[in-house]
Amino acid sequence: MPEQPATPPRRLFNASERVALYLAADGQCTNCRATLAPGWHADHVAPYSHGGATDVINGQALCPTCNLQKGNNVANSAREWQTHARDLFLSQPKKNFTVAATPGAGKTWFSLALAKLLKEEGTIERIIVVVPTDALRSQWADAAEETGLSLMPVTGPDDYDKAGYDGCVVTYAQAARGVGSNLLRRITRRPTIALLDEIHHAGEKRAWGDGLTDALEHAVHRICLTGTPWRKDATSPIPFVNYDNDGKVVVDFAYEYGTAVSDGVCRRIEFHAYDGEARWADCGKISSSSLGNNLAEADVSAALDTVLQPNQPWMPALLAQADRALDELRQEIPDAGGLVVAHEMYHARAYAEILKHVTGQEPTVVLSDDPEAKTKIDTFRGSSTKWLVAVRMVSEGVDIKRLAVGVYATKIRTPLFFRQVVGRFVRTRKDEEFNARLYIPAVPALMDHAREIEEELRHQLAIEFERERKAREDAGYSQGAFDFDRQPLSATEATFDRAILNGDEVTPEEIGRAEIWCRANDIPMTFATRVARGHRSMQQDGIEVISPEAVPVVAIPRHRRERMLRGEVDTLVGKAAYKMGIPKKDFNYQLRKEGFPPRAKATIEELERIQAFLLKRLGEL
């Protein structure tokens, strides 16, 4: 039987490793020696972003205060994918260059840094940024300042070419019609780069695409950005991009969710699906069904109509469960926030009242007709308020990195919208290691979307596995119309159906046993899904799961330890070779000259010495 590919490096410490770190620290913070309370942090001694391994030998138990004061000193450096995308563009400059990068990966920073480089080289003089919404104008302008550029968020005609600025930020509506389109056409006669954020919005209206084409005709370069793949719509062609024979957009550079998670750029997300029984009347006919049944489209819409009613038990039960999960996480991440995506404005107001009753705090409510919507989002972003309730307003582009728990309470079941919502929860902050969690109705369409996202993650990890194996060998969104004849009658409470994580579906029974184990071992309940998966894996391998009453003993079989170490060393070699700008096989040759044996023949002790050597070398590079 061929050797299984080594597992790529994990960013998160698993439950057994957390127990080991807690015991090794005698229940005290390794730094300040304070008693570790629930919510203590499992931290990398050598930062993960520097190549530090996720292993007990590179871990330490810290209190939240000490860990959050510890930086990795690379917050503003370019990520590897951003460097690769930049180098690809510079090697073959194109007028139109399309980049698809998963939400949270850093498309804004990449495009602004590229624009600054081209401006410093004299290739361009002006920068035009086109965004989907008014709120994103200021957000992009703020981000530009951090990269050394000054961009004016356009609110009037004088802002398009204002003196003292490197360019401006406009919406697609401003750029594609009227005075704005004419002004941009004139401005771009000077060498200009256009950065088009979420370019698929240019296809929402035919006039937008035509107007945008005219406005940016003379731009030297047009960088098209998207975090959500789309297919061609013959009625709304999108300018500046190409399509393949199947109608899917062709990108020049792609950075997908699976790779981003593997790299630690994005966090993993757990999908927790909740079922329930709905009963409704349609043209006088009484119908009932659970959400998980395979229903006709109209019946799915009717069932969701019913359970999403604020006066039915389903939503209050789901909101209470989500709030409990958020409370648990806030023991470790004090400012962690939650987002409820509502379907209607009256739903949003009612959900906010339910959350106020549950939490004792006033949630932030953002509605499309609220002139203060942007201000409310900005205030929420910088606060530690628990909950934000919105109707689509935070579905795309808005960067609130502290969002950690979500409730998908809308009837919209398109893959595009679902992925936009998921993208609100995958953004990372340094020194935070947790899975985000999205609560969804257990309707088949949404379950399929969740599985597709997880399958992409599995696919990308499989690619990483294969790459590592070869390296070793070389070295030796639509919505149904509202039916006025339909009347929601009643719904049961939301009941937990399953969790979806890493392609596995974890049952309520497994979660329940894992929660007991977590409580007994002082492990935050947010780790319960991962603990459940770990217990299942151990049982499949014939390893007895430690009972909650027993004192936890961490014993990793030697062969597993060796395989894990070999995989970590292989990854460190790849990182070191990349930083030195040499092929991986040449770096392996250097290791031989240092006296290290081939990894396939190395013992655990020798692998540990190689690992220590590589960590030191990476710190010097």
Side-chain angles (χ1 to χ4, degrees):
M1 180 179 295
E3 180 184 356
Q4 294 297 311
T7 303
R10 293 175 290 111
R11 184 180 180 87
L12 305 177
F13 289 93
N14 62 37
S16 295
E17 290 165 339
R18 285 178 60 85
V19 171
L21 294 177
Y22 183 91
L23 294 175
D26 260 346
Q28 297 179 319
C29 173
T30 304
N31 185 42
C32 70
R33 309 309 299 172
T35 300
L36 292 173
W40 59 273
H41 289 196
D43 171 64
H44 293 78
V45 177
Y48 178 89
S49 55
H50 283 179
T54 304
D55 187 277
V56 289
I57 62 174
N58 186 45
Q60 59 183 344
L62 296 180
C63 66
T65 299
C66 288
N67 191 29
L68 295 177
Q69 290 174 348
K70 174 180 177 285
N72 64 7
N73 300 319
V74 294
N76 296 320
S77 62
R79 292 166 174 168
E80 282 192 26
W81 83 263
Q82 295 165 333
T83 301
H84 291 325
R86 179 204 64 195
D87 292 346
L88 178 62
F89 173 84
L90 295 176
S91 68
Q92 46 185 18
K94 301 170 65 177
K95 190 177 185 70
N96 299 320
F97 189 81
T98 303
V99 174
T102 189
K107 295 185 295 294
T108 302
W109 193 95
F110 155 74
S111 56
L112 288 171
L114 177 60
K116 182 182 180 184
L117 175 63
L118 295 177
K119 190 173 188 297
E120 290 173 344
E121 292 178 347
T123 302
I124 56 106
E125 297 178 13
R126 303 292 289 171
I127 301 162
I128 305 296
V129 179
V130 189
V131 297
T133 65
D134 293 340
L136 289 174
R137 287 180 303 197
S138 297
Q139 187 169 308
W140 268 81
D142 292 343
E145 290 292 336
E146 295 179 6
T147 60
L149 296 171
S150 293
L151 301 180
M152 169 59 73
V154 171
T155 58
D158 295 335
D159 295 336
Y160 284 85
D161 198 18
K162 200 165 189 176
Y165 288 85
D166 299 299
C168 64
V169 188
V170 301
T171 64
Y172 281 98
Q174 289 174 318
R177 62 190 181 196
V179 174
S181 181
N182 294 331
L183 287 171
L184 289 178
R185 185 175 177 83
R186 187 191 70 195
I187 292 167
T188 53
R189 291 187 181 276
R190 298 161 57 189
T192 302
I193 186 172
L195 311 178
L196 298 111
D197 186 25
E198 303 297 350
I199 182 63
H200 56 270
H201 282 279
E204 290 181 353
K205 297 179 182 179
R206 177 65 181 260
W208 282 18
D210 295 342
L212 198 65
T213 301
D214 291 338
L216 301 178
E217 178 184 0
H218 304 298
V220 176
H221 296 295
R222 296 179 289 239
I223 308 299
C224 304
L225 306 170
T226 183
T228 311
W230 75 91
R231 291 188 177 275
K232 189 174 185 178
D233 181 350
T235 64
S236 299
I238 298 174
F240 316 136
V241 298
N242 297 315
Y243 298 88
D244 62 19
N245 293 332
D246 295 326
K248 188 173 182 179
V249 65
V250 176
V251 302
D252 297 287
F253 185 90
Y255 186 66
E256 297 180 323
Y257 174 64
T259 307
V261 171
S262 179
D263 291 347
V265 171
C266 291
R267 64 170 61 107
R268 295 177 187 267
I269 185 166
E270 300 177 15
F271 298 98
H272 283 227
Y274 277 70
D275 205 348
E277 193 79 16
R279 183 170 174 267
W280 67 94
D282 195 348
C283 298
K285 178 185 176 182
I286 306 298
S287 300
S288 65
S289 176
S290 66
L291 294 177
N293 287 344
N294 288 315
L295 301 173
E297 177 67 20
D299 289 338
V300 175
S301 183
L304 286 173
D305 261 338
T306 304
V307 300
L308 295 180
Q309 293 298 317
N311 61 349
Q312 296 297 326
W314 197 87
M315 274 303 297
L318 187 64
L319 291 173
Q321 179 61 41
D323 186 68
R324 284 192 289 271
L326 183 58
D327 281 340
E328 177 71 30
L329 184 57
R330 282 167 71 94
Q331 293 182 36
E332 185 173 356
I333 313 295
D335 69 338
L339 168 65
V340 180
V341 180
H343 192 74
E344 304 283 358
M345 287 189 285
Y346 86 89
H347 283 163
R349 296 186 183 99
Y351 296 161
E353 286 299 316
I354 295 171
L355 285 170
K356 180 180 178 180
H357 176 76
V358 170
T359 67
Q361 297 182 16
E362 190 84 42
T364 299
V365 181
V366 178
L367 306 175
S368 56
D369 63 351
D370 185 354
E372 299 297 318
K374 177 185 177 299
T375 301
K376 289 182 177 180
I377 290 173
D378 290 341
T379 300
F380 181 85
R381 180 187 293 112
S383 73
S384 60
T385 304
K386 289 180 71 175
W387 284 99
L388 173 67
V389 185
V391 183
R392 301 187 185 181
M393 291 293 293
V394 198
S395 64
E396 183 177 69
V398 176
D399 185 0
I400 307 175
K401 293 183 178 179
R402 68 186 189 90
L403 287 178
V405 176
V407 178
Y408 193 90
T410 174
K411 294 195 301 177
I412 300 172
R413 302 185 295 284
T414 62
L416 178 63
F417 187 81
F418 186 81
R419 287 171 179 269
Q420 289 169 353
V421 172
V422 168
R424 300 315 101 210
F425 301 95
V426 301
R427 285 164 163 78
T428 60
R429 298 188 294 188
K430 67 177 183 179
D431 299 321
E432 288 183 349
E433 298 182 355
F434 64 89
N435 286 356
R437 186 177 296 185
L438 182 62
Y439 290 83
I440 64 175
V443 298
L446 297 180
M447 299 283 285
D448 287 344
H449 298 338
R451 292 189 188 101
E452 286 171 5
I453 291 173
E454 289 296 329
E455 187 58 35
E456 288 176 13
L457 175 57
R458 274 187 160 183
H459 175 67
Q460 289 300 314
L461 294 179
I463 292 174
E464 295 297 319
F465 293 159
E466 184 64 16
R467 184 179 295 126
E468 291 294 334
R469 185 187 69 79
K470 290 182 177 179
R472 287 197 305 275
E473 289 177 353
D474 291 342
Y477 161 154
S478 67
Q479 166 188 345
F482 186 79
D483 190 339
F484 290 95
D485 292 327
R486 180 190 302 149
Q487 180 182 1
L489 297 179
S490 64
T492 62
E493 285 193 1
T495 55
F496 180 50
D497 182 66
R498 73 195 77 182
I500 302 175
L501 175 65
N502 295 358
D504 285 343
E505 296 188 3
V506 185
T507 67
E509 293 76 17
E510 290 175 310
I511 293 288
R513 290 192 294 269
E515 287 177 345
I516 295 173
W517 191 90
C518 286
R519 281 194 292 269
N521 291 291
D522 195 25
I523 304 297
M525 215 64 67
T526 51
F527 290 90
T529 304
R530 276 179 282 169
V531 170
R533 292 178 65 251
H535 285 177
R536 182 195 295 171
S537 177
M538 293 167 67
Q539 290 168 342
Q540 289 171 347
D541 290 342
I543 302 172
E544 182 180 357
V545 177
I546 302 170
S547 67
E549 296 77 14
V551 176
V553 177
V554 179
I556 304 176
R558 184 177 179 87
H559 71 95
R560 294 178 181 272
R561 172 75 173 151
E562 182 177 331
R563 185 171 64 179
M564 179 175 63
L565 271 172
R566 188 173 292 116
E568 291 173 353
V569 168
D570 283 341
T571 300
L572 292 174
V573 167
K575 290 185 177 182
Y578 174 77
K579 287 192 173 185
M580 294 176 66
I582 63 175
K584 194 172 180 179
K585 61 181 181 179
D586 291 349
F587 188 82
N588 279 318
Y589 179 71
Q590 291 186 15
L591 285 178
R592 304 291 187 278
K593 293 178 66 176
E594 293 285 344
F596 294 114
R599 291 191 292 284
K601 299 181 179 180
T603 65
I604 285 182
E605 293 73 22
E606 289 169 333
L607 287 170
E608 288 175 339
R609 287 197 292 271
I610 298 174
Q611 183 186 52
F613 173 83
L614 291 170
L615 288 172
K616 180 180 178 181
R617 175 64 64 88
L618 281 167
E620 296 169 349
L621 292 176

